[in-house]
Amino acid sequence: MWHTYNLLQVGDSLRASTIRKVQTESSTGSVGSNRIRTTLTLCVETIDFDSQACQLRVKGTNIQENEYVKMGAYHTIELEPNRQFTLAKKQWDSVVLERIEQACDPAWSADVAAVVMQEGLAHVCLVTPSMTLTRAKVEVNIPRKRKGNCSQHDRALERFYEQVVQAIQRHINFEVVKCVLVASPGFVREQFCDYMFQQAVKTDNKLLLENRSKFLQVHSSSGHKYALKEALCDPAVASRLSDTKAAGEVKALDDFYKMLQHEPDRAFYGLKHVEKANEAMAIDTLLISDELFRHQDVATRARYVKLVDSVRENMGTVRIFSSLHVSGEQLGQLTGVAAILRFPVAELSDQEDESSSEED
């Protein structure tokens, strides 16, 4: 559904089966209303995506003759997984076609789950190829250890661990998930994993025991969702997740930040700067957010597509980040477009400074 959301644009035509409330008049003149299933073709006007329910609501006007719905009448179609639809566009650009290839390639669904935790707080997340979904948040108030009496602290900690184990069992499908990252500061992750597998042995929990090898412990600075980026950067994790898109995105963004720190002349962000670097054929890796391709203005969208095509023609690598990933959110803070250059382009930033000071 995330791919579909990125494929749909205002002005496209969408044909799908839907239910419409229709008023009928009987021979006696009484008016009644029935819900009738019919197939409509809409000209798309607004698109609303609910990532938690995995539903797309598409509103638009009817553009094809229908016995129940007048031409030009408004209707909202709800798209769900496994419901067929037909999409027509005036133009299929390279970014849209690549999105379709990704959606059809099973290798893109190599999924990861993560438990990011600290004492009293845990987030159970699913890291899909296109987004990071928080499936459960566990919060338990844990009293401090007191001299000579740790029982309250230990009981609360046990209650917290138990709730996290339940959340893992409820929200992680081990048939799909290849790896479960358990990330925390200090020794919280070790203590939690020890507790989880001790309980699994006691209760003969086959689900956890059979998937024990999938759990991977890594360090993070806190139990908040944003600490997940650090966990994905860990070299041990990167080698384990080498076939997932999320790990590649995180590494590319990490490389960009390192370059920005050590060789700022080889790390550009902002559309104008990146376009000028591209004119000099200097871009080695282009980092761009998929949010930019959902732009309503056709000319602006075409500008981003042209940039992507041009970088590829010049043998550069293009990484399209998902705005629902932690890494995509961070790229969004850097205007949504950034580039790692093959060679320094120093005079560009100098020219920009001179022109801006003249404008001032």
Side-chain angles (χ1 to χ4, degrees):
M1 296 315 294
W2 174 249
H3 287 307
T4 308
Y5 172 50
N6 279 285
L7 291 173
L8 282 165
Q9 285 169 270
V10 173
D12 290 351
S13 102
L14 176 73
R15 184 175 173 81
S17 169
T18 182
I19 291 172
R20 176 85 176 189
K21 203 174 184 180
V22 178
Q23 285 198 332
T24 51
E25 195 175 326
S26 68
S27 53
T28 57
S30 62
V31 176
S33 67
N34 292 323
R35 287 163 67 82
I36 291 170
R37 182 167 283 285
T38 181
T39 300
L40 288 180
T41 306
L42 303 183
C43 177
V44 177
E45 283 192 16
T46 57
I47 306 150
D48 180 38
F49 178 55
D50 180 350
S51 63
Q52 296 300 323
C54 210
Q55 266 190 343
L56 256 176
R57 291 170 63 83
V58 184
K59 184 183 175 186
T61 50
N62 183 32
I63 54 170
Q64 212 168 65
E65 290 288 341
N66 186 288
E67 59 178 305
Y68 304 113
V69 186
K70 290 178 190 168
M71 292 282 281
Y74 275 95
H75 187 78
T76 301
I77 290 178
E78 284 194 3
L79 295 179
E80 299 172 330
N82 305 316
R83 181 177 290 183
Q84 287 192 350
F85 66 90
T86 307
L87 181 64
K89 288 178 176 290
K90 292 186 179 81
Q91 184 192 2
W92 294 83
D93 60 49
S94 62
V95 172
V96 169
L97 294 172
E98 186 189 9
R99 170 75 61 180
I100 291 170
E101 273 180 39
Q102 285 176 18
C104 300
D105 181 2
W108 281 76
S109 58
D111 283 357
V112 182
V115 183
V116 194
M117 65 195 307
Q118 63 190 51
E119 274 198 11
L121 173 70
H123 288 83
V124 178
C125 307
L126 291 180
V127 186
T128 75
S130 45
M131 65 187 94
T132 307
L133 284 175
T134 304
R135 276 287 172 237
K137 183 181 179 184
V138 180
E139 275 187 290
V140 172
N141 187 25
I142 296 177
R144 289 187 172 188
K145 284 184 179 178
R146 303 242 168 116
K147 263 190 180 177
N149 182 14
C150 299
S151 59
Q152 271 187 310
H153 172 272
D154 292 346
R155 272 203 304 273
L157 203 57
E158 201 165 302
R159 195 167 69 248
F160 167 61
Y161 288 161
E162 182 53 41
Q163 286 182 25
V164 178
V165 172
Q166 285 173 5
I168 288 172
Q169 290 178 277
R170 198 176 305 126
H171 297 289
I172 295 176
N173 178 359
F174 285 99
E175 287 176 22
V176 177
V177 168
K178 287 185 170 183
C179 175
V180 183
L181 302 179
V182 184
S184 79
F187 297 103
V188 179
R189 56 187 179 276
E190 285 97 333
Q191 289 165 0
F192 167 70
C193 287
D194 289 347
Y195 171 84
M196 177 168 58
F197 292 117
Q198 279 169 13
Q199 291 300 313
V201 170
K202 277 183 194 172
T203 57
D204 194 25
N205 186 327
K206 287 190 170 65
L207 180 73
L208 290 176
L209 293 173
E210 284 169 9
N211 290 287
R212 187 169 188 160
S213 60
K214 289 184 181 179
F215 285 83
L216 186 64
Q217 296 178 27
V218 283
H219 171 77
S220 71
S221 57
S222 75
H224 294 277
K225 182 182 157 187
Y226 282 93
L228 183 57
K229 179 180 172 284
E230 302 165 28
L232 289 168
C233 278
D234 189 293
V237 177
S239 62
R240 185 90 171 256
L241 312 182
S242 54
D243 57 345
T244 69
K245 178 173 181 274
E249 285 183 2
V250 169
K251 186 182 181 303
L253 193 63
D254 201 39
D255 290 347
F256 173 78
Y257 279 123
K258 280 178 187 166
M259 195 66 81
L260 195 61
Q261 201 175 351
H262 301 298
E263 287 185 73
D265 288 345
R266 284 183 60 199
F268 281 18
Y269 62 92
L271 185 58
K272 273 187 183 174
H273 275 72
V274 171
E275 280 181 329
K276 287 201 172 169
N278 185 47
E279 281 168 25
M281 294 189 182
I283 295 179
D284 184 41
T285 308
L286 176 71
L287 288 63
I288 191 162
S289 170
D290 60 10
E291 204 166 15
L292 303 177
F293 301 111
R294 294 198 292 275
H295 206 286
Q296 305 296 0
D297 180 40
V298 177
T300 307
R301 183 190 157 89
R303 193 173 166 187
Y304 291 122
V305 173
K306 186 183 169 191
L307 176 65
V308 167
D309 290 343
S310 176
V311 170
R312 284 189 175 136
E313 278 169 26
N314 296 331
M315 308 306 285
T317 306
V318 176
R319 287 202 170 272
I320 298 176
F321 282 60
S322 166
S323 56
L324 284 192
H325 258 313
V326 179
S327 53
E329 286 171 19
Q330 283 192 307
L331 184 61
Q333 290 163 6
L334 288 169
T335 73
V337 58
I340 300 169
L341 310 189
R342 294 188 177 102
F343 47 83
V345 185
E347 65 275 11
L348 176 62
S349 44
D350 298 340
Q351 286 167 12
E352 290 285 318
D353 292 343
E354 282 166 26
S355 60
S356 61
S357 61
E358 281 165 23
E359 283 163 21
D360 296 343

